[in-house]
């Protein structure tokens, strides 16, 4: 038997079917979590935003029309929640940046790796939110520029521009971690 | 294409998001330009770093928590619970429609009202004037008022209903 598509499940959700909603959550929770975590770099916030994105589609189901794939529809909601969260964080807590680890203490390989991971997160955090979104989506779930453009609501040409500028900034900030 | 143009499109080239003809043109350029080639290498290194970002496993019971919250929100708020525990909402179908469908429904009601007014304009203008007292006594729906005592409410209503506007103004 053919598996029910996400779009069909979404129509069932519109009719109040919570089991269909549960199936959508199970299908997409891993990738939603991964995207939110890469965006926010914090487990509590990522879980909060991922949960909210699912509840948003539940609420919006009666108005859902399968003009775009469910995947791009869902990522659009999740990405905008992440962008909003990042904007609020930039406004409220500039001093929330994790402390750099003293190199003399980081003999432990695990600590060195943790520091490297922190540096990547910091470099991403320094990007304007839409550049950050374009770059993270480019590395997520095999999304094409056309899909990223639908998610961000800009043209594919603009997506290329965002990625190119994000890439240049990241390269400048991460050059010390690069192999020569 | 010069180096500047090539460099501005290297990410799209790496992602195979440029048209095939341009792809070949860029490949040719990269074959002969060591400086652009080393930039491809640097972009790939940043990409590798982004791909190496670790993500902790999905929190346990994530979906269970989402579902619990979904069920909570699906129930009506305690303060808004309807009388007798019934979810009686005669206009529910209207709330569930999309905005264009709602507009269409409103337009249909409006057209029906206007059509009704248009079709009944003859009745409302001349209907009462054409009815004489004699005819009125035989009108359906009025006969059960007929055997009424002269001072009762029924007789007053019958008088009012069967009097033409002309007669009313004369009697005043
Ligand atoms: Zn060149």
């Amino acid at each position: 038997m053919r598996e029910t598509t996400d779009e069909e499940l979404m129509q069932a959700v519109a009719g109040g079917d919570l089991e269909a909603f549960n199936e959508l959550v199970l299908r997409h929770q891993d990738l939603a979590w991964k995207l939110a975590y890469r965006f926010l770099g914090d487990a509590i916030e990522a879980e909060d935003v991922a949960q909210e994105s699912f509840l948003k589609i539940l609420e919006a189901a009666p108005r859902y029309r399968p003009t775009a794939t469910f995947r791009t529809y869902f990522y659009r909601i999740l990405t905008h929640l992440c962008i909003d969260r990042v904007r609020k964080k930039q406004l409220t807590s500039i001093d929330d940046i994790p402390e750099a680890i003293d190199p003399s203490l980081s003999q432990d390989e695990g600590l060195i790796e943790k520091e490297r991971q922190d540096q990547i997160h910091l470099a991403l955090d320094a990007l304007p939110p839409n550049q950050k979104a374009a770059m993270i989506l480019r590395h997520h779930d095999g999304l094409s520029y056309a899909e990223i453009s639908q998610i961000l609501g800009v043209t594919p040409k603009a997506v290329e521009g965002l990625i190119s500028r994000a890439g240049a900034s990241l390269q400048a900030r991460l050059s010390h971690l690069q192999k020569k | 294409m010069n180096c500047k143009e090539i460099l501005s499109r290297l990410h799209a080239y790496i992602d195979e998001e440029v048209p095939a003809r341009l792809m070949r043109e860029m490949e040719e350029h990269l074959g002969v330009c060591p400086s652009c080639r080393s930039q491809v290498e640097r972009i790939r290194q940043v990409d590798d770093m982004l791909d190496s970002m670790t993500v902790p496993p999905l929190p346990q019971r994530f979906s269970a928590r989402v579902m619990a919250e979904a069920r909570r929100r699906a129930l009506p708020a305690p303060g808004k619970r309807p009388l007798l525990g019934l979810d009686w909402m005669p206009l529910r179908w209207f709330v569930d429609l999309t905005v264009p469908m709602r507009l269409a429904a409103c337009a249909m009601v409006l057209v029906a009202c206007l059509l009704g007014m248009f079709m009944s304009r003859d009745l409302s203008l001349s209907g009462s004037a054409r009815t004489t007292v004699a005819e009125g006594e035989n009108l359906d729906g009025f006969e059960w008022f007929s055997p009424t005592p002269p001072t009762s409410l029924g007789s007053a209503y019958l008088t009012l209903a069967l009097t033409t506007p002309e007669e009313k103004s004369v009697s005043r």
Side-chain angles (χ1 to χ4, degrees):
Chain A
M1 215 174 78
R2 183 181 68 93
E3 198 188 41
T4 317
T5 65
D6 289 346
E7 291 75 19
E8 287 165 343
L9 285 173
M10 201 55 185
Q11 309 260 296
V13 174
D17 184 347
L18 280 183
E19 278 313 303
F21 177 66
N22 193 23
E23 175 65 23
L24 280 175
V25 174
L26 293 176
R27 280 188 194 180
H28 296 277
Q29 59 180 0
D30 282 301
L31 284 167
W33 162 252
K34 193 174 169 191
L35 180 60
Y37 186 85
R38 284 199 160 172
F39 217 111
L40 301 166
D42 177 273
I44 291 168
E45 286 206 75
E47 182 175 359
D48 194 31
V49 165
Q51 180 173 333
E52 201 51 45
S53 67
F54 282 114
L55 294 168
K56 270 235 154 95
I57 62 162
L58 175 65
E59 190 188 292
R63 297 185 297 278
Y64 171 76
R65 295 291 170 274
T67 45
T69 62
F70 174 79
R71 186 168 86 140
T72 41
Y73 174 76
F74 176 59
Y75 283 149
R76 186 163 65 220
I77 289 172
L78 177 56
T79 302
H80 283 98
L81 284 175
C82 287
I83 290 176
D84 283 350
R85 194 62 70 104
V86 162
R87 288 213 172 109
K88 277 191 201 121
K89 235 169 48 171
Q90 281 177 346
L91 286 177
T92 53
S93 57
I94 310 249
D95 51 7
D96 204 21
I97 294 160
E99 275 172 52
I101 297 161
D102 184 349
S104 65
L105 294 175
S106 52
Q107 316 295 44
D108 184 5
E109 291 246 322
L111 263 179
I112 294 170
E113 176 53 23
K114 170 149 193 331
E115 190 187 0
R116 205 183 73 93
Q117 293 277 334
D118 284 349
Q119 300 279 347
I120 299 170
H121 272 293
L122 280 177
L124 276 171
D125 287 348
L127 297 174
N130 52 354
Q131 283 184 31
K132 181 180 184 180
M135 198 50 139
I136 289 175
L137 289 167
R138 173 177 172 254
H139 286 262
H140 185 79
D141 202 8
L143 292 171
S144 68
Y145 285 18
E147 287 172 300
I148 298 174
S149 82
Q150 284 187 340
I151 293 168
L152 294 179
V154 298
T155 63
K157 191 78 204 153
V159 168
E160 191 183 330
L162 288 170
I163 289 173
S164 180
R165 273 173 281 148
S169 304
L170 290 176
Q171 201 177 306
R173 285 175 190 275
L174 296 172
S175 57
H176 61 289
L177 298 179
Q178 288 188 333
K179 290 160 255 153
K180 295 285 142 29
Chain B
M1 276 182 114
N2 58 34
C3 289
K4 193 166 171 253
E5 288 168 317
I6 297 276
L7 289 173
S8 74
R9 304 213 64 181
L10 277 183
H11 281 87
Y13 167 81
I14 289 168
D15 295 338
E16 296 180 22
E17 289 272 1
V18 293
R21 199 181 50 78
L22 189 58
M23 198 82 187
R24 281 193 299 278
E25 217 177 300
M26 292 179 79
E27 264 162 28
E28 277 170 33
H29 179 95
L30 290 167
V32 295
C33 178
S35 124
C36 285
R37 216 164 41 233
S38 71
Q39 177 56 13
V40 169
E41 195 41 48
R42 282 191 291 272
I43 290 174
R44 289 220 159 97
Q45 282 187 23
V46 171
D47 285 345
D48 287 346
M49 277 189 235
L50 293 174
D51 285 331
S52 76
M53 280 170 81
T54 53
V55 175
L58 179 76
Q60 281 191 335
R61 297 185 38 78
F62 175 84
S63 66
R65 276 197 293 277
V66 174
M67 289 312 291
E69 183 63 19
R71 284 194 193 93
R72 200 184 64 77
R73 291 191 190 185
L75 291 171
K80 288 185 198 161
R81 192 155 294 160
L83 283 171
L84 306 169
L86 292 172
D87 188 14
W88 189 73
M89 212 175 132
L91 290 178
R92 185 46 163 275
W93 62 273
F94 187 76
V95 175
D96 287 345
L97 290 177
T98 59
V99 172
M101 293 279 279
R102 285 186 211 170
L103 288 175
C106 289
M108 220 147 84
V109 170
L110 189 67
V111 165
C113 288
L114 289 173
L115 203 66
M117 281 165 74
F118 179 75
M119 287 165 75
S120 65
R121 75 196 194 291
D122 280 341
L123 292 173
S124 61
L125 287 177
S126 53
S128 61
R130 262 195 254 114
T131 312
T132 64
V133 178
E135 284 169 336
E137 267 166 358
N138 295 324
L139 278 180
D140 283 345
F142 282 110
E143 60 269 56
W144 62 277
F145 275 122
S146 295
T148 47
T151 51
S152 70
L153 200 63
S155 100
Y157 181 63
L158 198 63
T159 312
L160 269 178
L162 300 181
T163 307
T164 60
E166 291 84 356
E167 282 167 357
K168 267 188 226 161
S169 53
V170 168
S171 67
R172 224 185 280 140

